[in-house]
Amino acid sequence: MDKKVVYINSIFIAVLAGIATLSGLFWKGLYKHETISMAAQAMGQDLITLIIGIPVLMGSLYLIQKNSLKGSLIWMGTLFYFLYSYASMSFLASYNQLFLVYVALFSLSLYTFIYGLLSLNVKTIKESISPGKTSKIAGAFLIFSGAMVALMWVKMIIDSLLTGIAPAALESYTTLVIQALDIGVVFPAMLIAGILIIKGKEWGYALVSILLIKASLMGTALLSMIFFMAQNGVIPATGQVIFFAIITVSGILISISFYSKINNPLYKNGHIKPKNREKAAEL
């Protein structure tokens, strides 16, 4: 990857996200056209993006500067989190003064993520991960958690179709953006990644590395959303709260275990080994 592209785009994303999150948390009236539930969720995610998402993004740049493979993969996973988050805000949130900021974040995250994905050396990534059960557990976890979320949304939609009553999650909005993203984008990605890594395919290791970070950040944001909703008198179903808490904690623990198996075979003490300069240039 061209590190200049990585640094410049990431810094722009961090600055714009800082503006968006600080505005969401402290600009009274920014979310005045949202429902109580949506405003609470937006603020909950703003908090996690501000105190965890942005620092992780910037921290990954420091690791990339040190030629860390872990840093590159964490960077990709964090980008996917920003991509998902601001696609949601661009297409779901009621129009407000930060609409162009949301769109800029969505666009920058999307094309930077694609650039990073096309630049991956998946063979090197697989070779850098110590073999063992952890990889298969990570793949199975992504398949299970993605399927459970997708099935939860599908059941809600089918119940609505059978009863003729709009799903409660729709509230006053026109369509189910989050559900569309989870069913149509996130779950298929988790399913493909999980199957590939269980089969020992190179792309499986790369995709699972990315999706574990995204899932951990998004799960933490969901717990923050639930907290903000409860503070505003919107109490989610107890079963959903327990499910998301278990999935989030499990995802974080699995991510830590998975990333502990990643090493940099091409580097020593932060420097490229002479015999591996050509391979390292492909990272």
Side-chain angles (χ1 to χ4, degrees):
M1 292 186 292
D2 185 335
K3 288 184 179 179
K4 288 184 179 179
V5 173
V6 171
Y7 298 153
I8 292 171
N9 286 16
S10 298
I11 290 170
F12 269 113
I13 290 170
V15 170
L16 289 172
I19 293 171
T21 55
L22 287 170
S23 298
L25 291 168
F26 299 109
W27 185 346
K28 293 183 178 180
L30 181 66
Y31 296 140
K32 64 183 179 181
H33 297 301
E34 308 294 351
T35 62
I36 295 174
S37 174
M38 176 60 185
Q41 291 179 60
M43 293 182 71
Q45 182 150 26
D46 284 336
L47 179 63
I48 297 304
T49 301
L50 179 64
I51 67 173
I52 299 179
I54 295 174
V56 170
L57 182 66
M58 300 309 293
S60 68
L61 294 184
Y62 172 78
L63 294 176
I64 289 172
Q65 178 62 30
K66 298 291 185 180
N67 296 317
S68 167
L69 178 58
K70 288 182 183 180
S72 297
L73 295 172
I74 291 170
W75 175 74
M76 288 287 296
T78 309
L79 272 181
F80 193 16
Y81 167 78
F82 278 91
L83 169 57
Y84 179 93
S85 299
Y86 288 102
S88 303
M89 292 300 292
S90 296
F91 297 121
L92 175 60
S94 299
Y95 177 81
N96 63 37
Q97 293 90 332
L98 293 186
F99 177 75
L100 288 178
V101 175
Y102 301 148
V103 173
L105 279 162
F106 167 53
S107 180
L108 265 174
S109 300
L110 172 62
Y111 288 106
T112 305
F113 180 77
I114 292 173
Y115 172 74
L117 204 60
L118 294 176
S119 302
L120 287 176
N121 185 331
V122 294
K123 181 178 180 181
T124 299
I125 293 171
K126 180 182 177 181
E127 291 174 350
S128 302
I129 299 176
S130 303
K133 294 181 179 179
T134 302
S135 297
K136 289 182 171 56
I137 291 173
F141 167 76
L142 288 178
I143 293 172
F144 172 77
S145 58
M148 291 299 291
V149 172
L151 287 172
M152 179 175 67
W153 295 145
V154 169
K155 179 183 181 302
M156 178 188 73
I157 294 166
I158 290 176
D159 288 345
S160 170
L161 293 174
L162 292 175
T163 62
I165 301 172
L170 186 61
E171 299 188 75
S172 62
Y173 297 94
T174 57
T175 193
L176 299 170
V177 174
I178 299 300
Q179 287 73 12
L181 289 173
D182 285 349
I183 296 170
V185 178
V186 177
F187 170 58
M190 287 182 162
L191 179 63
I192 292 168
I195 291 173
L196 288 178
I197 199 170
I198 289 171
K199 290 186 175 182
K201 302 297 183 181
E202 294 171 351
W203 267 105
Y205 290 86
L207 294 175
V208 166
S209 303
I210 294 167
L211 289 169
L212 282 174
I213 298 298
K214 184 270 179 187
S216 297
L217 287 171
M218 197 64 235
T220 305
L222 278 169
L223 296 182
S224 178
M225 292 179 202
I226 291 170
F227 174 78
F228 271 76
M229 289 168 68
Q231 293 298 303
N232 285 273
V234 181
I235 310 298
T238 303
Q240 288 188 8
V241 174
I242 294 172
F243 168 74
F244 284 126
I246 292 173
I247 288 295
T248 298
V249 173
S250 300
I252 292 171
L253 293 176
I254 291 171
S255 298
I256 292 171
S257 178
F258 184 87
Y259 269 79
S260 71
K261 304 294 184 182
I262 301 176
N263 56 74
N264 269 12
L266 306 181
Y267 299 93
K268 184 177 182 180
N269 298 326
H271 299 286
I272 302 173
K273 297 177 182 178
K275 66 179 181 179
N276 290 317
R277 291 187 187 280
E278 184 176 345
K279 288 184 179 180
E282 298 175 4
L283 280 175

